[in-house]
Amino acid sequence: MSTGLAELHDKARAVLDPVHYDYYAGGVGDEVVLGENEAAFRRLALLPRVLRGQPTRDLRVDLPGGRLDVPVLVSPTAFHRLAHPDGELATARATAAVPVVNAGKDPCA
């Protein structure tokens, strides 16, 4: 685990109920997939030479259904209230406050 990620784990461990921290930090079964995911992230690295020389950064990304100014996606998850009292409502409000890409038909329409 990278130092930055380990630091976030330590901060979460310090403020969350231990059972809730274990839920977020753990994986299923023998946690084989969790270990493989962490190893895959360790193999990824940003090359600083590609992030210099441009006074203005363009983080936009083209996706099916549109373009995002910043490549941040939110997937459907649950149990946010284990980490914060506002839980899923806060997540929904945050995602509603920024532009999103609608790659398909609105299921609520």
Side-chain angles (χ1 to χ4, degrees), residues 1 4 15 18 26 28 36 39 44 46 53 70 73-74 76 84 86 88-89 91 100 105:
M1 194 177 328
V15 297
V28 298
E36 290 176 0
L44 296 174
L46 290 177
V70 177
L73 306 172
V74 178
H84 191 278
D86 293 342
E88 288 81 353
L89 182 56
T91 303
V100 296
K105 183 180 179 195

Side-chain angles (χ1 to χ4, degrees), residues 21-52:
Y21 172 80
D22 288 344
Y23 172 79
Y24 287 121
V28 298
D30 294 332
E31 297 187 335
V32 172
V33 173
L34 176 64
E36 290 176 0
N37 286 341
E38 289 175 349
F41 276 102
R42 280 192 298 272
R43 289 190 300 270
L44 296 174
L46 290 177
L47 300 175
R49 63 183 167 79
V50 301
L51 295 176
R52 59 183 189 191

Side-chain angles (χ1 to χ4, degrees), residues 69-102:
D69 289 335
V70 177
V72 175
L73 306 172
V74 178
S75 64
T77 56
F79 300 115
H80 298 199
R81 290 184 71 187
L82 298 179
H84 191 278
D86 293 342
E88 288 81 353
L89 182 56
T91 303
R93 285 181 177 146
T95 57
V98 296
V100 296
V101 171
N102 184 358

Side-chain angles (χ1 to χ4, degrees), residues 17 52 54 62 90 98:
D17 177 296
R52 59 183 189 191
Q54 293 293 328
D62 291 316
V98 296

